Amino acid sequence: MAPVTGIGEEMYALVERMYPLCRSITGDGVRATLDIVGEYIPLQRHEVPTGTQVLDWTVPQEWNIRDAYIADTAGNRVVDFAASSLHVLGYSVPVSATMPLSELRAHLHTLPDHPSWVPYRTSYYKLDWGFCLAQETLDAMPDGDYEVRIDSTLADGHLTYAEHVVPGQVPEEVIVSCHVCHPSLANDNLAGVAVATFLARALARQRPYYTYRFVFAPGTIGAITWLARNAERVDRVKHGLVLACAGDAGQLTYKQSRRGDAEIDRVMRYVLAASERPHRVTGFTPYGYDERQYCSPGFDLGVGSLTRTPYAGYPEYHTSADNLDFVSPEAMADTLAVCREAFAVLDGNRQYVNLSPYGEPQLGRRGLYDALGGRSDTKQAQMAMLWVLSLSDGEHSLLDVAERSGLPFDTVAAAGDALHGAGLIKA
């Protein structure tokens, strides 16, 4: 894992700022989160009205909440939304009532196997209400009456998502997508939001080959909305990556696209193996994060997913234990580093044609060997030139050269640049 860096600490500070906010698939919590991200990178925000048809779905009503609690007869708040946004079932309708514990229990959600943790639960598409609390809190509640209050609204409004674009040398796009709908869950997915934000900043300091489009949207319905609104131009998307669970201590996991042989799949497999980081590469499944929307058969985009420990792969997942102590600057810095390494390969991967294919061209008289004299890896660089010339047949890419030769990709790419500059190969 990469050592703690200043950028890791900055990402952690961003997670800290976003953590207290109550997010859902719609509402002011999403907007407040995007306000914070917008301080780091410029965002184009989109507001899609309730009732809008998006593919097979409809944009739901907007949900907002101001306060919620369960209070005993003395007025003590036994469960308090102000203490944690996880305490309320997401999308709970308004409630103001007094009821006995025996009746209230049907609306209470706990984790008996982890009695001190609070679960994360939602009811987006079914009218309901409820509270989430620690089992030990429920065990300590005596029978009797309780005041139940949920000060929320569920009304026509908008679904909010945002985009940030890093212009490239070509209009073809790489999308980086992360979900912004979960409340106080640090790893799932505030760490992903933070890594995406700082990845966008890093790319903006370069002149990337591809155009990079960052999508910050609610999970499932947000990605579906984005696809519906961009269906006519989605053919520009050549590669993509969904970022989630980017800050825990687990090893990196890359989930391949539905295709399995998309260029992003090859690049991620290569980068993770070459880095010698502990990692896993898994096949596509139609369950998980928004890669399943981008990879749905009608779109079939080359979009994979990068996490550390995958969704539902750690006990803390969707509980109050996914807190600020569960993520670290080191893990986020490491995830960011892998993304940057992967996109450097993706951006630099070219197919060339050898313009002097009959015998080996004389590199010395073109000054190509002399240009390598100051390099510490002169022999490697020379071999890279020979390999690029050998495989520049219009069918092999620089990544093919790196994989077949065993040479580092950046050495191969540098050889390609040198040979291209000398007029020996063309793209």
Side-chain angles (χ1 to χ4, degrees):
M1 186 178 295
V4 178
T5 63
I7 201 166
E9 298 289 356
E10 289 181 69
M11 287 189 287
Y12 187 85
L14 174 56
V15 171
E16 280 187 305
R17 287 187 64 191
M18 297 185 291
Y19 183 75
L21 298 175
C22 181
R23 282 164 291 273
S24 189
I25 56 173
T26 62
D28 291 334
V30 173
R31 297 186 185 98
T33 301
L34 295 176
D35 285 344
I36 294 173
V37 173
E39 296 176 22
Y40 291 78
I41 55 175
L43 294 176
Q44 181 182 8
R45 192 176 296 189
H46 305 270
E47 297 279 356
V48 185
T50 295
T52 302
Q53 188 71 29
V54 285
L55 306 180
D56 194 46
W57 295 59
T58 304
V59 173
Q61 289 189 308
E62 181 176 326
W63 183 69
N64 286 292
I65 183 167
R66 287 158 293 277
D67 192 18
Y69 60 85
I70 301 172
D72 61 21
T73 53
N76 300 308
R77 293 193 175 192
V78 180
V79 179
D80 192 353
F81 169 77
S84 171
S85 58
L86 294 176
H87 277 310
V88 173
L89 178 77
Y91 257 62
S92 283
V93 297
V95 176
S96 182
T98 298
M99 63 184 67
L101 181 59
S102 58
E103 180 181 343
L104 179 57
R105 280 183 182 274
H107 297 276
L108 302 182
H109 304 272
T110 65
L111 293 167
D113 291 342
H114 296 282
S116 64
W117 296 358
V118 176
Y120 164 54
R121 299 287 184 268
T122 62
S123 185
Y124 296 143
Y125 302 106
K126 176 186 175 184
L127 294 179
D128 200 357
W129 63 271
F131 289 86
C132 300
L133 64 160
Q135 181 66 45
E136 60 189 22
T137 300
L138 177 57
D139 291 342
M141 292 172 62
D143 289 334
D145 287 343
Y146 289 87
E147 180 189 359
V148 179
R149 170 81 167 160
I150 298 179
D151 182 10
S152 65
T153 55
L154 189 59
D156 287 354
H158 296 82
L159 177 147
T160 309
Y161 71 92
E163 297 175 285
H164 171 80
V165 176
V166 180
Q169 299 171 42
V170 296
E172 286 77 17
E173 293 184 359
V174 180
I175 57 170
V176 180
S177 180
C178 56
H179 57 275
V180 293
C181 53
H182 286 10
S184 297
L185 300 174
N187 196 41
D188 180 25
N189 187 38
L190 295 179
V193 174
V195 169
T197 300
F198 278 78
L199 178 59
R201 292 178 72 177
L203 288 168
R205 292 192 290 267
Q206 305 167 11
R207 188 169 179 260
Y209 178 72
Y210 289 109
T211 294
Y212 286 81
R213 182 177 300 274
F214 289 78
V215 179
F216 300 88
T220 304
I221 185 65
I224 286 171
T225 299
W226 185 88
L227 285 164
R229 289 165 60 89
N230 291 275
E232 298 304 316
R233 56 180 302 281
V234 79
D235 59 340
R236 290 189 190 181
V237 177
K238 301 304 179 186
H239 319 282
L241 192 64
V242 170
L243 279 173
C245 299
D248 67 90
Q251 66 181 5
L252 284 156
T253 300
Y254 176 69
K255 175 182 172 182
Q256 298 180 109
S257 72
R258 176 179 175 269
R259 300 178 193 172
D261 61 352
E263 190 171 346
I264 187 67
D265 300 326
R266 291 191 59 207
V267 167
M268 290 302 304
R269 290 194 300 261
Y270 170 80
V271 166
L272 287 168
S275 73
E276 299 185 346
R277 289 175 172 90
H279 70 276
R280 289 195 309 150
V281 175
T282 66
F284 176 80
T285 61
Y287 184 74
Y289 292 119
D290 284 327
E291 67 279 356
R292 68 189 196 272
Q293 311 307 334
Y294 299 115
C295 291
S296 56
F299 295 107
D300 196 24
L301 300 178
V303 177
S305 172
L306 183 66
T307 63
R308 301 196 73 85
T309 308
Y311 54 87
Y314 51 97
E316 298 85 356
Y317 179 77
H318 280 195
T319 78
S320 58
D322 184 355
N323 55 32
L324 294 171
D325 293 331
F326 188 67
V327 298
S328 71
E330 298 97 326
M332 285 186 280
D334 189 52
T335 307
L336 176 62
V338 167
C339 290
R340 295 188 65 178
E341 292 165 22
F343 286 169
V345 174
L346 194 67
D347 235 36
N349 196 25
R350 302 281 185 277
Q351 282 189 341
Y352 288 108
V353 174
N354 189 337
L355 298 177
S356 183
Y358 299 101
E360 181 182 306
Q362 191 175 7
L363 301 179
R365 72 177 173 85
R366 292 177 171 84
L368 291 172
Y369 281 150
D370 293 340
L372 302 175
R375 294 178 62 118
S376 60
D377 62 342
T378 302
K379 187 173 181 180
Q380 257 195 352
Q382 290 175 348
M383 285 302 301
M385 285 190 182
L386 297 177
W387 271 108
V388 172
L389 286 168
S390 179
L391 292 180
S392 289
D393 53 8
E395 296 181 3
H396 291 86
S397 68
L398 293 180
L399 182 56
D400 290 319
V401 175
E403 289 178 330
R404 186 162 172 181
S405 68
L407 295 168
F409 180 85
D410 58 352
T411 301
V412 170
D417 287 343
L419 292 167
H420 186 263
L424 287 170
I425 59 176
K426 69 175 183 178

